[in-house]
Amino acid sequence: MRLYTGLTCKDQTAIHTPLIEIRGLEDDTLLQQAAASITDHDILLMTSRMTVKYWYEAMQKVKAPWHGQVVAIGHTTAQALQERGAQNLIIAPQDDSYGVIELFLTDERLLHRHVIFPRSAIALPIIPDGLRELGYTVQTLTAYQNVMPEHPKRVDLATIDTIVFTSPSTIDNFLKLYGTLPEDKTYETRGAITQAHLEKQLKKRNHI
């Protein structure tokens, strides 16, 4: 049996117990201010459909339409952007943070230097640090919160063969809930960043 810890699960045969919960900001004043100044930037970078949701809600509040260059990680994010009417859309071929950096390094359409990057409150610094090293000016801002569910469902891991993690935060929250990564399980991850975090946690477990 597979245990799926991500926000949504298409596998009807898996046990789905989300270990992340998405919440909007209690105060989105800074997000609205950034949306109002969107024309100060050349490129809007979006890395998840949840970022699209909260960013475009902020733009609607301040009535700030955007017709500039948009970069998206993954087809799910791209679809969310298209549903919001985004134009001039570029999709990173590699669906992770390193793919975005590679895109900015190689795509001649991204020669402009000012990037605005709404993201999760717990997003890793890989993308903004990488783009700054390439010479881009990057404004980051929090668009939403990624938190542990208030009442996460704990399952009997004896019935589980495979555990699927979709982000580093699902791994961290699994450890908060269960205490350790069991040695008798197979682990699957979504993306190179999540895989690297899993390997780091497995090394810690093995050296305890």
Side-chain angles (χ1 to χ4, degrees):
M1 182 66 69
R2 290 159 60 86
L3 177 65
Y4 198 92
T5 63
L7 194 62
T8 60
C9 178
K10 296 180 180 179
D11 184 354
Q12 299 298 319
T13 66
I15 296 176
H16 182 211
T17 59
L19 291 183
I20 55 173
E21 181 178 309
I22 303 302
R23 297 178 188 170
L25 303 176
E26 294 182 4
D27 181 357
D28 68 347
T29 301
L30 293 179
L31 190 64
Q32 290 188 47
Q33 289 175 351
S37 64
I38 182 65
T39 54
D40 293 340
H41 305 275
D42 305 307
I43 301 167
L44 173 63
L45 174 58
M46 309 296 278
T47 56
S48 76
R49 62 185 178 86
M50 300 311 301
T51 308
V52 175
K53 167 182 166 58
Y54 290 108
W55 173 256
Y56 274 81
E57 287 178 357
M59 287 210 300
Q60 289 173 354
K61 289 178 181 178
V62 297
K63 302 184 184 305
W66 171 246
H67 303 294
Q69 188 69 67
V70 184
V71 175
I73 285 185
H75 291 282
T76 300
T77 305
Q79 182 179 352
L81 284 162
Q82 290 166 342
E83 290 172 353
R84 295 280 185 165
Q87 302 173 0
N88 300 322
L89 182 60
I90 300 175
I91 305 173
Q94 183 179 326
D95 189 2
D96 60 27
S97 299
Y98 300 117
V100 169
I101 296 170
E102 180 66 20
L103 176 68
F104 275 79
L105 180 63
T106 59
D107 195 313
E108 294 182 354
R109 293 171 293 178
L110 301 176
L111 295 178
H112 299 295
R113 293 297 174 183
H114 298 282
V115 180
I116 188 165
F117 180 25
R119 57 183 187 161
S120 162
I122 60 172
L124 298 173
I126 295 171
I127 291 177
D129 287 353
L131 295 185
R132 287 173 183 132
E133 288 182 4
L134 295 178
Y136 289 88
T137 299
V138 183
Q139 179 186 349
T140 62
L141 62 147
T142 299
Y144 63 93
Q145 301 177 77
N146 182 330
V147 300
M148 179 82 156
E150 188 173 352
H151 301 290
K153 182 180 178 182
R154 187 183 175 102
V155 304
D156 180 4
L157 294 181
T159 65
I160 302 299
D161 302 308
T162 302
I163 301 172
V164 183
F165 295 119
T166 59
S167 66
S169 56
T170 60
I171 298 172
D172 293 340
N173 291 342
F174 181 93
L175 289 169
K176 291 176 184 177
L177 187 61
Y178 294 100
T180 188
L181 295 167
E183 296 185 12
D184 61 342
K185 310 301 177 189
T186 299
Y187 295 98
E188 296 179 8
T189 59
R190 298 291 180 264
I193 304 300
T194 307
Q195 179 62 31
H197 192 67
L198 173 63
E199 292 173 359
K200 178 181 178 180
Q201 297 304 320
L202 288 173
K203 286 181 180 178
K204 286 184 179 180
R205 180 200 68 186
N206 295 337
H207 285 85
I208 291 177

